[in-house]
Amino acid sequence: MENMQYAEELIREFLVFRGFTNTLQAFEMELGTDIGKSFQVDKILDLIFSVYIPKFHAEKLVGLLSFFKQCFSSSTEIALIATLLKLEVSILRYYVVYALQSGRKDKVVEFFGMNGNDLLQRSTEWTPWFAIPYLKNPSLDPQFRIYFSKEWHEALCLSARNFFSEIFNGTRIPALLKISSEKKTVNCLKKDAEQLNQKLSQLQTLLEEKEAQLCQMRMKTSSAASVMDTRLLKSKNSMSSNGLRKEDLHLTSIQQDCSPATPNLGGIKLDPEQAYGGQFNGRDMPGEAFPEVKVNFQLLIGTADGGIKAWNVDAKRVVCDLNTGEAFPSVLDIKCSPVEPIFVSAAASRRNGSSYIDSLGFASLTVWNMKTWKAMTVLPLGEDPPAITSLCFNHNGKILAASATDGMIHMFDMSAGLQITGWPAHDSAISSILFGTDETSIFSLGLDGKVFEWSLQNPGQVLWSRDCQRFFDPKASRHCRHEMALDAHGRRLLVTSSSVKAPIYQVRGPLEGMKTLAHNAAITTVDWHPTLPIFLTGSADHSVRVSSIP
């Protein structure tokens, strides 16, 4: 916000300097409306869903969406434009639905009268919508029913928030807005340079002192060597008179000359006082205080007896041992928030069953604090919920997706601690879920061997699917847990396999896919490099393979 105000002052100063008073007046008037709302997500969402749509300002709504398309019209932002176009369609459809729900069919007719030609030129999918104001009960029509549901509206608001948060947090800003930031950066760099110059000066002074000490030591060593040569010469004459060979005397002389003047440890020269003064006996050096190593990396491990262990990577030991309780002894999945020091554990009770999935009872989703290592809250799942098998956070940790043994996908708002939507995704248990790279969709992998990509703008709508059942053998694994991973661009999906090779599918692509190189046993884990076309496969034969594809 400070950068924005600074940039606005620069513009005013320039317009006054050039005498562009008319332009200055227009600029001040535009600032009063501020159609972009300074790229503040909450204000933009309020403008769309609390002002333009409820007050039927269709022209302003269309203008606002066109404004955002102009902001991201460069060729490098094709993916953003594609997502924004889909979001625009959903928002305009919600305008039509809201008008019908409010009994304002006239506003729907007016909307299509103003924008009908443009909408038809974009897509033929709008054709059936021209008949909607003349239907008796459009909310009951199979073609339009989903758009009148509360779940669809909530998913639309969530998608809009995620999209605007993503583009405003990650998009490039105008060069004018960078001036203030760059000015601060330059000042910080100048201060850093001054501190480094001072440190360099101190190090140069210290180096000169050490070189002077080294020069003195060399002089002492040279003097000692001269004394040694005199003694050797006398010894040589004495030994020669006793019949010793000259070669023996020469060898002895070389050995003495090759002895270091100062002791050496690992190629580092030390003062004689340091080398023989007992400084390597395991005690701290006097007068020097060394700070403790700060621990930043920890792994969380769930066990079958209700335990959650925090393994400290640096210390190589367990630093905290939690327990989910006797009621939920099986920890099925653990996921850490990408932004906050919290994690969520999915645990389940036990019951008698012929298979592993059948032996899982009711579910429990617990949010833990990683600073206090205590439970914060339990997410609501309803009465006697089926076990949760997989968890996944979105990029900012505000949304948590969870899949269950009954084939359901649940979506939670972590700030409110409430479930916001959910839908049946598979006819059997779900093994793994993950968000798409643009977070407008979510992938699910079922124990039935089917993969689905679900729309988050229209929950329950399948965008893409594949059947990888031939790579699944439930009898080959006691836990029947399969995983999947998306590449950095969300175009390739890698899935684990009960075979020695795993499938790689092209998401919404023209080709079927390919297979990985073979291991000697089932492939139990997979992952992609965060930026490069490189993937990892881990096998039950205890091997790990890193592969690159074009």
Side-chain angles (χ1 to χ4, degrees):
M1 195 62 185
E2 181 183 351
N3 292 350
M4 189 76 70
Q5 294 174 350
Y6 182 73
E8 291 170 1
E9 290 299 325
L10 291 179
I11 294 174
R12 289 191 183 94
E13 181 183 19
F14 175 77
L15 294 177
V16 171
F17 177 77
R18 293 297 307 274
F20 297 156
T21 55
N22 293 333
T23 306
L24 179 61
Q25 291 178 3
F27 175 67
E28 295 292 353
M29 186 178 299
E30 290 288 343
L31 285 180
T33 59
D34 193 6
I35 191 172
K37 292 298 179 184
S38 300
F39 288 162
Q40 296 181 32
V41 176
D42 290 335
K43 289 186 178 181
I44 292 173
L45 294 179
D46 286 341
L47 189 63
I48 293 174
F49 294 104
S50 300
V51 179
Y52 286 171
I53 293 178
K55 295 184 178 180
F56 306 109
H57 294 167
E59 186 175 356
K60 292 183 178 180
L61 178 63
V62 173
L64 177 65
L65 297 174
S66 299
F67 164 73
F68 286 125
K69 285 189 289 186
Q70 293 174 2
C71 290
F72 308 104
S73 58
S74 67
S75 59
T76 59
E77 295 167 331
I78 297 177
L80 286 177
I81 284 292
T83 304
L84 180 57
L85 290 175
K86 294 179 182 178
L87 187 62
E88 179 188 29
V89 170
S90 297
I91 292 175
L92 295 180
R93 288 180 176 177
Y94 177 67
Y95 175 88
V96 174
V97 169
Y98 182 86
L100 292 174
Q101 289 176 330
S102 303
R104 298 298 302 272
K105 291 184 179 181
D106 59 314
K107 291 296 180 181
V108 178
V109 174
E110 179 184 288
F111 171 77
F112 285 124
M114 294 171 52
N115 306 285
N117 292 334
D118 183 54
L119 295 176
L120 288 176
Q121 288 177 0
R122 295 187 201 176
S123 173
T124 57
E125 293 181 358
W126 277 102
T127 303
W129 285 79
F130 284 81
I132 198 171
Y134 307 104
L135 296 178
K136 187 175 182 180
N137 291 312
S139 61
L140 301 180
D141 189 287
Q143 189 170 7
F144 305 110
R145 183 169 51 202
I146 189 174
Y147 300 102
F148 287 83
S149 66
K150 180 182 178 182
E151 291 78 12
W152 183 82
H153 173 236
E154 291 176 345
L156 172 61
C157 294
L158 175 64
S159 299
R161 179 174 295 278
N162 287 342
F163 176 77
F164 286 123
S165 297
E166 181 68 22
I167 62 175
F168 295 154
N169 290 335
T171 189
R172 82 288 182 271
I173 61 174
L176 188 61
L177 292 182
K178 295 180 181 179
I179 294 178
S180 178
S181 300
E182 291 178 352
K183 185 178 180 181
K184 291 182 179 179
T185 302
V186 170
N187 290 335
C188 291
L189 290 175
K190 286 182 178 179
K191 291 181 180 179
D192 292 343
E194 291 176 359
Q195 293 176 355
L196 289 174
N197 286 330
Q198 292 178 359
K199 191 171 183 179
L200 178 61
S201 177
Q202 294 173 356
L203 291 174
Q204 288 176 341
T205 302
L206 181 62
L207 179 61
E208 292 174 357
E209 293 176 356
K210 294 297 182 182
E211 286 180 347
Q213 294 177 3
L214 182 60
C215 182
Q216 293 178 357
M217 290 178 59
R218 285 174 178 171
M219 293 177 62
K220 293 179 180 179
T221 302
S222 176
S223 176
S226 299
V227 174
M228 182 64 70
D229 289 341
T230 302
R231 292 177 179 175
L232 286 174
L233 181 59
K234 292 181 179 179
S235 175
K236 176 180 177 182
N237 294 334
S238 174
M239 286 186 285
S240 296
S241 63
N242 290 331
L244 291 176
R245 294 179 299 173
K246 293 183 179 180
E247 291 81 1
D248 295 333
L249 296 175
H250 181 63
L251 179 60
T252 304
S253 175
I254 292 175
Q255 288 175 341
Q256 293 288 349
D257 291 339
C258 288
S259 298
T262 58
N264 188 293
L265 180 64
I268 301 175
K269 291 187 177 182
L270 304 172
D271 293 337
E273 213 176 323
Q274 289 179 319
Y276 301 113
Q279 300 298 338
F280 299 97
N281 57 6
R283 294 176 295 179
D284 292 337
M285 292 185 181
E288 294 188 17
F290 293 90
E292 292 183 2
V293 175
K294 293 183 178 180
V295 178
N296 294 319
F297 301 99
Q298 292 168 154
L299 301 176
L300 296 172
I301 306 167
T303 67
D305 58 356
I308 300 176
K309 299 180 183 297
W311 176 268
N312 187 288
V313 177
D314 290 338
K316 296 181 175 59
R317 64 182 179 86
V318 174
V319 295
C320 187
D321 199 345
L322 308 176
N323 197 285
T324 59
E326 297 180 358
F328 302 98
S330 298
V331 179
L332 304 183
D333 199 8
I334 297 174
K335 285 295 184 297
C336 292
S337 168
V339 295
E340 296 183 87
I342 63 172
F343 70 91
V344 179
S345 65
S349 61
R350 290 175 181 167
R351 63 184 178 187
N352 294 327
S354 58
S355 67
Y356 174 72
I357 294 297
D358 293 336
S359 66
L360 298 176
F362 302 133
S364 174
L365 279 181
T366 306
V367 183
W368 302 83
N369 189 313
M370 296 181 69
K371 291 183 177 180
T372 61
W373 297 110
K374 293 182 179 180
M376 298 171 57
T377 185
V378 176
L379 298 178
L381 287 169
E383 186 176 355
D384 300 336
I388 298 297
T389 55
S390 181
L391 302 171
C392 184
F393 276 101
N394 73 330
H395 75 287
N396 58 15
K398 293 183 178 180
I399 303 298
L400 175 74
S403 63
T405 54
D406 63 350
M408 287 288 295
I409 292 178
H410 305 274
M411 307 291 287
F412 293 89
D413 182 345
M414 292 302 294
S415 59
L418 297 175
Q419 182 173 336
I420 54 178
T421 188
W423 65 92
H426 291 259
D427 295 331
S428 62
I430 300 177
S431 182
S432 178
I433 56 171
L434 56 86
F435 281 98
T437 52
D438 59 0
E439 297 191 355
T440 60
S441 65
I442 191 168
F443 292 79
S444 64
L445 172 64
L447 289 184
D448 53 8
K450 295 179 180 179
V451 179
F452 293 105
E453 181 186 11
W454 302 92
S455 171
L456 291 179
Q457 298 177 357
N458 302 307
Q461 178 184 351
V462 177
L463 302 176
W464 175 81
S465 65
R466 279 295 181 271
D467 189 345
C468 53
Q469 189 173 2
R470 60 196 178 103
F471 294 96
F472 281 38
D473 181 10
K475 297 180 181 179
S477 173
R478 175 176 175 269
H479 296 288
C480 299
R481 177 67 182 270
H482 283 269
E483 301 175 355
M484 56 183 171
L486 273 172
D487 69 351
H489 304 289
R491 299 171 186 166
R492 294 188 176 105
L493 183 73
L494 177 58
V495 183
T496 56
S497 170
S498 299
S499 174
V500 296
K501 295 183 178 181
I504 306 175
Y505 298 107
Q506 277 202 340
V507 179
R508 299 190 229 172
L511 302 178
E512 179 68 21
M514 61 188 78
K515 294 180 182 179
T516 65
L517 298 176
H519 286 265
N520 294 321
I523 296 177
T524 56
T525 187
V526 293
D527 205 357
W528 285 91
H529 189 280
T531 57
L532 301 176
I534 296 174
F535 64 87
L536 177 147
T537 53
S539 171
D541 64 3
H542 309 296
S543 67
V544 175
R545 185 190 297 276
V546 179
S547 307
S548 175
I549 57 177

